[in-house]
């Protein structure tokens, strides 16, 4: 195992810098040989925030992979119900690294939080949805007009709902968003206090199998539902090699999930409390494979559209430039092929 990891890490480092430099310079991607400066000091601890939807992080946690890789660092795992809460902890200095959907970093950047995008996963448009009750009279997105819709503010589902409203020919002011965390939103939806619910997996899968709501729309054609790895600026700048190693291990975790689906299902079920059937449905809607990768120009452009959409309707206080907080590790040497 060590030899394979040693082989992958330099390759990922080279690819990471090639793409990030291309984005930063607004030039076509180049083949770049680069080696980031070694960390001056190993981190004493690595505090990682995760959600139930963070498959690759959950697999690393359950298999104690990082504890084996970083033998001189204490690995601390902290679970969060959604991305906004995770990024609040990250910006407050309580975390070093974590995974969220597309919208939380936009709200955090607009609020002046000092965070950096350091990695990403492929789009998962089928992993989020807008749900209504099976017997609901709402049959189209236009039918959301005037309705109460539960959603976690600043989450990926928030952007999904925004896009759904637009596609339905409505203005944001035509609906009544009810801002609730996932557990509270499900309770409100089941008792009929809201008319619809915008949500992501695995909450979506659990609801679908639990009480069979009608899926008004998934993210397909509305939102790419990208997921991003973020780090505090201090952690990324002081420990660039550690960040690259984390991405390397996350890519390895995805390979494990693809090759050992039964075992991965059990690992995720143990953390999430979900039954294996729900986990299997959740996993089936993810991109296959779904490794952690570097952030490319397409992802930056996608994120900029998310940010511009929220600014357009006044949900963030100011315009932001996503590229400003995309991590660019300093290199000891950069040479063209």
């Amino acid at each position: 195992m060590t030899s394979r990891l040693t082989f992958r890490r330099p390759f990922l480092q080279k690819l990471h810098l090639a793409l990030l430099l291309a984005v930063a310079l607004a030039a076509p991607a180049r083949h770049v040989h680069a080696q980031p400066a070694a960390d001056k000091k190993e981190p004493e601890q690595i505090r990682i925030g995760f959600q139930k939807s963070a498959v690759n992080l959950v697999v690393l946690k359950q298999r104690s992979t990082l504890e084996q890789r970083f033998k001189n660092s204490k690995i601390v795992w902290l679970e969060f119900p959604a991305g906004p809460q995770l990024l609040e902890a990250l910006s407050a200095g309580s975390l070093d690294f974590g995974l969220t959907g597309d919208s939380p970093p936009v709200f955090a950047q607009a609020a002046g939080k000092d965070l950096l995008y350091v990695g990403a996963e492929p789009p998962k448009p089928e992993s989020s949805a807008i749900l209504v009750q099976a017997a609901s009279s709402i049959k189209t997105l236009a039918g959301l007009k005037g309705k109460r819709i539960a959603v976690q503010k600043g989450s990926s589902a928030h952007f999904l709902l925004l896009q759904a409203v637009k596609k339905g020919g409505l203005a944001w002011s035509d609906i009544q968003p009810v801002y609730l965390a996932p557990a509270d939103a499900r309770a409100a939806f089941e008792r009929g206090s809201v008319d619809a619910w915008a949500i992501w997996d695995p909450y979506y899968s659990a609801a679908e199998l639990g009480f069979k709501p009608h899926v008004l729309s998934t993210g397909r054609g509305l939102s790419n539902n990208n997921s991003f790895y973020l780090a505090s600026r201090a952690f990324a700048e002081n420990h660039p090699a550690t960040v690259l190693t984390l991405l390397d291990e996350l890519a390895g975790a995805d390979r494990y999930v693809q090759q050992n689906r039964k075992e991965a299902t059990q690992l995720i079920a143990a953390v999430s409390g979900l039954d294996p059937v729900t986990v299997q449905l959740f996993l089936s809607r993810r991109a296959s494979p779904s490794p952690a990768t570097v952030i490319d120009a397409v992802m930056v452009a996608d994120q900029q559209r998310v940010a511009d959409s929220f600014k357009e309707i006044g949900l963030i206080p100011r315009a932001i430039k996503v590229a400003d907080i995309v991590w660019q590790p300093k290199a000891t040497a950069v040479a063209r092929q």
Side-chain angles (χ1 to χ4, degrees):
M1 178 177 179
T2 302
S3 61
R4 291 197 299 271
L5 291 175
T6 302
F7 173 79
R8 289 197 310 269
R9 188 165 62 254
F11 174 78
L12 180 58
Q13 292 167 350
K14 295 172 186 177
L15 182 57
H16 188 101
L17 285 164
L19 290 172
L20 285 178
L21 287 171
V23 172
L25 299 174
R30 299 177 295 158
H31 293 290
V32 176
H33 287 298
Q35 178 68 36
D39 293 354
K40 295 179 180 178
K41 182 181 179 182
E42 279 191 34
E44 293 181 5
Q45 62 178 356
I46 305 173
R47 300 166 299 173
I48 301 172
F50 70 100
Q51 305 173 56
K52 288 180 171 63
S53 57
V55 169
N56 294 337
L57 280 175
V58 168
V59 167
L60 291 182
K61 177 181 183 296
Q62 292 299 90
R63 300 186 73 213
S64 300
T65 305
L66 299 184
E67 286 79 358
Q68 297 169 40
R69 186 68 181 267
F70 297 102
K71 295 186 182 299
N72 297 317
S73 301
K74 180 181 180 182
I75 309 298
V76 179
W77 296 93
L78 297 168
E79 184 177 353
F80 294 83
Q85 294 92 324
L86 189 155
L87 290 191
E88 186 61 35
L90 193 62
S91 65
S94 302
L95 284 179
D96 301 307
F97 183 87
L99 177 73
T100 80
D102 50 19
S103 302
V106 167
F107 279 77
Q109 185 179 2
K113 307 298 185 183
D114 198 18
L115 310 173
L116 293 175
Y117 292 93
V118 296
E121 290 186 0
K124 307 176 186 70
E126 300 291 347
S127 291
S128 59
I130 297 174
L131 308 178
V132 296
Q133 294 289 356
S136 174
S137 62
I138 304 171
K139 304 300 181 185
T140 66
L141 294 176
L144 293 173
K145 185 173 183 178
K147 303 303 183 182
R148 292 170 55 83
I149 306 168
V151 64
Q152 166 73 60
K153 186 175 183 179
S155 69
S156 59
H158 200 168
F159 181 64
L160 169 64
L161 180 58
L162 174 57
Q163 294 297 90
V165 166
K166 286 182 180 179
K167 186 173 181 179
L170 306 176
W172 185 252
S173 58
D174 287 330
I175 67 165
Q176 299 179 55
V178 179
Y179 295 124
L180 296 170
D184 294 331
R186 173 168 175 158
F189 183 75
E190 288 194 81
R191 66 173 177 262
S193 299
V194 295
D195 304 295
W197 181 22
I199 191 58
W200 63 92
D201 268 329
Y203 305 104
Y204 165 28
S205 292
E208 189 174 21
L209 293 175
F211 53 90
K212 315 241 179 257
H214 173 64
V215 179
L216 192 63
S217 177
T218 67
R220 181 69 63 185
L222 296 176
S223 166
N224 280 335
N225 196 28
N226 291 315
S227 298
F228 293 96
Y229 291 96
L230 292 102
S232 68
R233 183 179 298 275
F235 186 79
E237 291 182 348
N238 292 331
H239 306 290
T242 297
V243 173
L244 290 175
T245 300
L246 287 169
L247 295 178
D248 183 54
E249 291 293 355
L250 286 160
D254 178 70
R255 283 189 292 277
Y256 178 86
V257 173
Q258 304 307 323
Q259 297 166 10
N260 303 275
R261 187 56 62 95
K262 182 178 179 181
E263 293 84 352
T265 296
Q266 294 299 328
L267 292 176
I268 296 163
V271 170
S272 66
L274 300 170
D275 63 83
V277 175
T278 301
V279 175
Q280 288 169 3
L281 177 58
F282 162 36
L283 290 177
S284 74
R285 291 200 272 240
R286 289 169 54 84
S288 183
S290 187
T293 67
V294 298
I295 299 173
D296 62 20
V298 173
M299 291 176 178
V300 173
D302 271 353
Q303 273 300 86
Q304 192 61 54
R305 282 190 286 273
V306 174
D308 293 345
S309 295
F310 280 122
K311 176 61 176 67
E312 182 182 342
I313 60 172
L315 288 180
I316 59 174
R318 62 185 179 90
I320 61 172
K321 185 178 178 182
V322 169
D324 287 346
I325 62 167
V326 173
W327 182 50
Q328 299 178 55
K330 294 180 181 179
T332 56
V334 178
R336 299 190 185 207
Q337 271 190 342

